[in-house]
Amino acid sequence: MADYAIGDLQGCFTEFKLLLEKVNFNPSKDILYLVGDIVARGPDSLACLRYLKNLGDSVKITLGNHDLHLIATYYLNKQPKKNDLLDSLFSASDFPELISFLQKQPLAIWLESYQTLICHAGLSPHWNIKTALTQANLATKKYQSDDALYYFKNMYGEGPLIWSDELSEVESFRYTVNAFTRMRFLTPNNEMDFIHKDAPHNTPELQPWFKHPNIQRLKNTKIIFGHWASLLGKTDNENIIALDTGCVWGKELTLLELDTGTITTQAAI
């Protein structure tokens, strides 16, 4: 029995299956946690979603920005972007069922036994773990509710860029979604920056969210995230674990065994 976390799939189904074979993943006794961005940009998002859906309770997913965009595109009756390579998914007979499967997934998972937060982009430095989980739960309930269309219509937008208890319901939803699925850098004013995606050493005027003092103080808590491929898995903090290592960009897919800390990788095919 083992618990694994794995980085952004983004449609890289061949590498995904090879990586699971390397660790002898057994869905009858092992659990697989995914940090989001199951779909988009890679060659077989449809196969990734079908495989994960069929794994049942042995898989847990936190949604990424590409996953939420896919669900919103479906709800808003829009066509996918060509470079997302999602045409086969949109034309699949089980597309509605796959959307329903994705929509049931949360923005964050807390593993008490490991004192570990799993999410796509990271933890807002304005929140402690309790607040983050509360906000994630509130936002998740909104995009899973009968009013989901309303929230998907209002999900897009750059602001608010900083957290406040005075935010409106929609603003709070948007900030929460952005923090959990799009955040990388913070400005000197602690606002989220959505423009820059490069490695931190190339953007010295901005601070990675995980370098914020409030995050660095979380000595007994681990955060496992994806989203930021240009980090190449490097955060300089053993408790902040970046699993997106750019498989869809020709690099590799990374898997972490939670109990032992063992890393296993599969090079892009």
Side-chain angles (χ1 to χ4, degrees):
M1 180 175 179
D3 295 327
Y4 301 105
I6 192 167
D8 302 30
L9 299 186
Q10 293 202 242
C12 296
F13 185 65
T14 298
E15 293 87 347
F16 178 38
K17 288 298 297 297
L18 289 171
L19 190 52
L20 294 185
E21 289 172 9
K22 284 185 176 182
V23 297
N24 297 312
F25 175 71
N26 184 342
S28 68
K29 60 180 182 179
D30 299 335
I31 301 294
L32 184 64
Y33 296 92
L34 292 103
V35 299
D37 276 5
I38 309 303
V39 303
R41 307 290 172 86
D44 210 339
S45 296
L46 176 59
C48 287
L49 275 179
R50 282 176 171 166
Y51 180 80
L52 293 172
K53 181 175 179 287
N54 289 334
L55 285 178
D57 292 338
S58 62
V59 66
K60 315 291 181 184
I61 300 169
T62 61
L63 295 184
N65 52 301
H66 284 293
D67 306 317
L68 279 169
H69 180 67
L70 171 63
I71 303 169
T73 300
Y74 174 82
Y75 265 82
L76 300 173
N77 197 27
K78 293 185 176 181
Q79 292 300 307
K81 298 175 182 177
K82 288 298 181 183
N83 63 348
D84 280 345
L85 305 180
L86 294 175
D87 288 348
S88 63
L89 177 58
F90 272 68
S91 61
S93 60
D94 56 344
F95 183 42
E97 289 79 14
L98 295 172
I99 290 293
S100 178
F101 165 72
L102 262 190
Q103 193 174 356
K104 291 174 183 174
Q105 311 308 317
L107 286 177
I109 295 173
W110 172 252
L111 301 179
E112 183 68 26
S113 60
Y114 295 106
Q115 289 293 290
T116 294
L117 177 73
I118 299 177
C119 57
H120 182 61
L123 172 66
S124 167
H126 302 291
W127 294 336
N128 57 28
I129 295 295
K130 182 179 179 180
T131 301
L133 293 173
T134 296
Q135 294 305 320
N137 186 51
L138 289 171
T140 298
K141 286 182 177 179
K142 287 178 171 59
Y143 67 69
Q144 292 175 349
S145 72
D146 292 339
D147 295 322
L149 176 60
Y150 169 78
Y151 287 105
F152 284 123
K153 283 181 178 178
N154 287 278
M155 184 174 70
Y156 294 95
E158 301 303 304
L161 299 176
I162 195 166
W163 175 253
S164 168
D165 291 334
E166 305 303 316
L167 296 178
S168 70
E169 186 177 44
V170 167
E171 288 173 331
S172 175
F173 173 76
R174 190 183 303 124
Y175 178 89
T176 300
V177 166
N178 282 338
F180 275 118
T181 69
R182 297 180 61 206
M183 178 177 62
R184 290 187 182 92
F185 284 111
L186 303 172
T187 70
N189 294 325
N190 290 322
E191 296 180 343
M192 292 186 291
D193 174 277
F194 297 123
I195 298 173
H196 299 88
K197 302 178 181 181
D198 209 347
H201 66 267
N202 291 328
T203 318
E205 69 276 16
L206 298 173
Q207 182 183 58
W209 64 267
F210 52 83
K211 294 290 188 181
H212 191 280
N214 290 348
I215 303 297
Q216 294 289 308
R217 292 189 192 104
L218 299 174
K219 300 298 184 183
N220 298 317
T221 300
K222 288 187 177 180
I223 302 172
I224 297 175
F225 70 105
H227 185 56
W228 200 342
S230 60
L231 291 176
L232 296 176
K234 297 178 176 62
T235 66
D236 300 322
N237 186 328
E238 62 182 7
N239 289 330
I240 311 294
I241 303 167
L243 290 184
D244 182 7
T245 46
C247 184
V248 76
W249 308 117
K251 295 189 169 71
E252 58 189 21
L253 191 61
T254 296
L255 176 146
L256 167 73
E257 185 174 352
L258 297 182
D259 189 44
T260 65
T262 302
I263 292 282
T264 305
T265 62
Q266 170 61 50
I269 303 299

